[in-house]
Amino acid sequence: MSRRVRRHAKSLARRLADLPAPLILAGGYAAFIVLGAVLFRLPFTSHVPVGWSDALFTATSAVTVTGLAVFDVGAVLTFWGELLLAVLIQVGGLGLMVFAVLLFSALGLPVGLTQTTYLREDLGQSSLARLGLLVATIFKVVLACEVAGALFLCLTFVPEQGFWPGLWTAIFHSVSAFNNAGFSTIGAGLVPFATDPVINIVIPALFITGGIGYVVLDDIGRRPGWRYYTLHTKIMLIGTAVLIVWSMASFAVLEWTNPRTLGALGSDTARLAVSWFQAVTPRTAGFNTTDIGGLHDSTALMFISLMLIGGGPASTAGGIKVTTFVVMLLATVAFFRRQTQLHAFGRSIGLEQVLKVMALTAISILTIFVATFLMVASHDGHFLDIAFEVASAFGTVGLSRGYTGELTEFGRVVCEVVMFLGRVGPLTLGYFLATRSVPRVRYPEGQIHLG
């Protein structure tokens, strides 16, 4: 009997090996979501019974590191439920294969070629070289950042809540922040700590580090200075800095006198602190220190654009990614300058990369448009609130204008699909874009009138 079982297991393994790596990874993420939903249904994870709809939505939001919640996490979940939520966030933020490789290494099990191939797809790498070193770097960065973040956050939460509750709150928020999840065990979120210096420094530092990308962190750690950084690292650093400055200035200008946000704060220092925090959080973190539902429509629209841009590739962030956005801008500038080649920082960017950017952007816009249409057609409510919710789900951000609780069962399913696509979709699309097909026949060039 055992021989037959081993034979069937080997046959199943061979069949799985023949499937595309992104399909295996997407299935793995889906399996973790289902497992998380089942565990959230167990009595010891919640103070009150959690229905299947709530459990599935919460598990999807956690594994995709989004942060949208249909109930008060701190009030509904027990310590074990919050621990389960933190584990799902960690698995989703690290990436399924990174987590698996770390687990294999801890158990002393070998990592085969198939697993290494899946890991390459999960991290968005083009080759198998240095994957082991990159995983080691990821582990060190995650451990150092989350431990340091928790220790610093204890300075705020321990005096507020007591030692053990404050310590757990610090650990949970450190994990949630580094993985750009946005979940909070505090009912009002971080709004009560809007002017707290520790919160305004530590939380943004965690989610900026987690969202900038493991490849960038590895590059910075290995190379001595700016001139030696790769093109990817330079674009990410410059793009991130420009977006932060622009979004902070825009938020301050648009909301300075709004009585529901910055206008309610007494001093200019407090307003600048909230402007800083809200400038960096929309691109994927999901935390807020002011009332998102009270934003002006213009600010909400700006937030939607930031949520769609997101963070860096091979990171805990979502969105189309900063590099995609920058290359799209460079291609636009090159078109108006009538340049036939894209270049930045003394390096050229190939046509294949530009086509990939176009495909990623087009499919992302199409996904958001279809999801928004389905939500508007099936829900009553302000269009901007619905579009904001969809953009937050796709960018795996977690910010909401208070509409998450208004979702019907159909709306929850739409958001779950969008969250899943926002986390796993670019990985799957990148696989197919990397697969080249050589045309058998070269057709004569035709002319199309554009514009």
Side-chain angles (χ1 to χ4, degrees):
M1 182 66 181
S2 59
R3 188 176 300 174
R4 182 182 300 176
V5 171
R6 285 197 297 270
R7 186 166 59 250
H8 284 301
K10 290 181 180 179
S11 175
L12 178 60
R14 284 194 296 269
R15 291 179 182 178
L16 290 176
D18 292 336
L19 294 175
L23 187 60
I24 299 294
L25 291 172
Y29 280 104
F32 261 95
I33 289 172
V34 173
L35 177 62
V38 171
L39 293 177
F40 278 128
R41 291 273 294 160
L42 298 180
F44 67 88
T45 62
S46 61
H47 296 293
V48 296
V50 175
W52 278 112
S53 178
D54 290 351
L56 183 61
F57 190 94
T58 304
T60 304
S61 186
V63 174
T64 60
V65 290
T66 301
L68 291 174
V70 289
F71 55 72
D72 185 341
V73 171
V76 174
L77 297 183
T78 64
F79 166 76
W80 298 108
E82 292 176 1
L83 180 61
L84 170 62
L85 185 63
V87 170
L88 292 177
I89 290 170
Q90 191 72 78
V91 172
L94 276 175
L96 184 61
M97 283 312 300
V98 175
F99 182 80
V101 168
L102 292 176
L103 183 62
F104 277 25
S105 300
L107 296 176
L109 301 175
V111 180
L113 180 61
T114 301
Q115 289 80 11
T116 306
T117 303
Y118 294 159
L119 177 62
R120 182 191 66 184
E121 299 295 336
D122 201 19
L123 291 176
Q125 299 297 293
S126 57
S127 68
L128 298 177
R130 296 198 73 258
L131 276 179
L133 294 176
L134 182 58
V135 170
T137 299
I138 291 172
F139 176 72
K140 293 175 183 177
V141 169
V142 170
L143 185 63
C145 289
E146 291 185 357
V147 170
L151 291 176
F152 281 115
L153 289 175
C154 281
L155 299 176
T156 292
F157 293 129
V158 169
E160 180 85 12
Q161 302 177 357
F163 183 76
W164 290 113
L167 176 61
W168 169 242
T169 301
I171 293 173
F172 183 92
H173 281 79
S174 181
V175 172
S176 182
F178 182 82
N179 290 285
N180 283 245
F183 278 103
S184 176
T185 57
I186 304 171
L190 298 181
V191 175
F193 307 94
T195 58
D196 187 285
V198 174
I199 296 297
N200 278 284
I201 294 173
V202 176
I203 295 291
L206 285 170
F207 59 65
I208 290 174
T209 303
I212 205 168
Y214 300 125
V215 177
V216 174
L217 297 175
D218 180 58
D219 194 31
I220 293 174
R222 289 190 303 111
R223 301 178 191 273
W226 174 264
R227 60 179 297 186
Y228 300 102
Y229 293 161
T230 63
L231 176 60
H232 172 83
T233 297
K234 291 179 178 179
I235 288 178
M236 272 303 307
L237 294 177
I238 293 293
T240 299
V242 170
L243 284 171
I244 289 175
V245 173
W246 176 81
S247 56
M248 180 178 175
S250 299
F251 185 87
V253 169
L254 293 172
E255 296 293 319
W256 195 263
T257 58
N258 185 352
R260 297 183 62 183
T261 56
L262 296 185
L265 301 173
S267 66
D268 292 347
T269 303
R271 294 180 183 184
L272 289 174
V274 173
S275 296
W276 148 254
F277 193 96
Q278 293 305 149
V280 291
T281 191
R283 285 195 300 110
T284 195
F287 289 104
N288 61 289
T289 54
T290 191
D291 180 16
I292 300 300
L295 299 176
H296 287 311
D297 289 354
S298 55
T299 311
L301 190 59
M302 180 191 73
F303 271 32
I304 289 176
S305 67
L306 293 173
M307 289 190 292
L308 297 184
I309 293 172
S315 73
T316 60
I320 64 172
K321 305 298 186 294
V322 173
T323 47
T324 301
F325 178 69
V326 171
V327 171
M328 183 174 62
L329 292 181
L330 292 175
T332 303
V333 171
F335 171 78
F336 284 108
R337 289 183 175 181
R338 298 185 178 275
Q339 296 175 341
T340 57
Q341 187 181 47
L342 240 61
H343 55 83
F345 301 108
R347 294 289 186 271
S348 63
I349 302 173
L351 176 62
E352 183 181 352
Q353 297 283 62
V354 178
L355 293 176
K356 184 176 181 179
V357 163
M358 292 173 60
L360 284 168
T361 305
I363 291 178
S364 298
I365 292 174
L366 182 63
T367 301
I368 294 165
F369 180 85
V370 171
T372 303
F373 175 80
L374 292 174
M375 293 281 285
V376 170
S378 59
H379 290 72
D380 293 326
H382 197 284
F383 172 79
L384 186 60
D385 294 342
I386 296 175
F388 194 95
E389 197 82 10
V390 172
S392 180
F394 180 80
T396 66
V397 179
L399 291 176
S400 175
R401 288 169 63 85
Y403 200 77
T404 309
E406 304 296 324
L407 295 176
T408 63
E409 292 300 322
F410 177 75
R412 290 187 179 189
V413 171
V414 171
C415 279
E416 287 163 2
V417 172
V418 172
M419 285 189 286
F420 188 79
L421 291 177
R423 183 62 179 157
V424 182
L427 176 68
T428 306
L429 178 61
Y431 173 82
F432 290 108
L433 291 177
T435 305
R436 300 181 180 181
S437 59
V438 180
R440 297 181 180 180
V441 180
R442 185 175 181 85
Y443 295 98
E445 183 177 334
Q447 184 178 4
I448 301 177
H449 299 283
L450 303 173

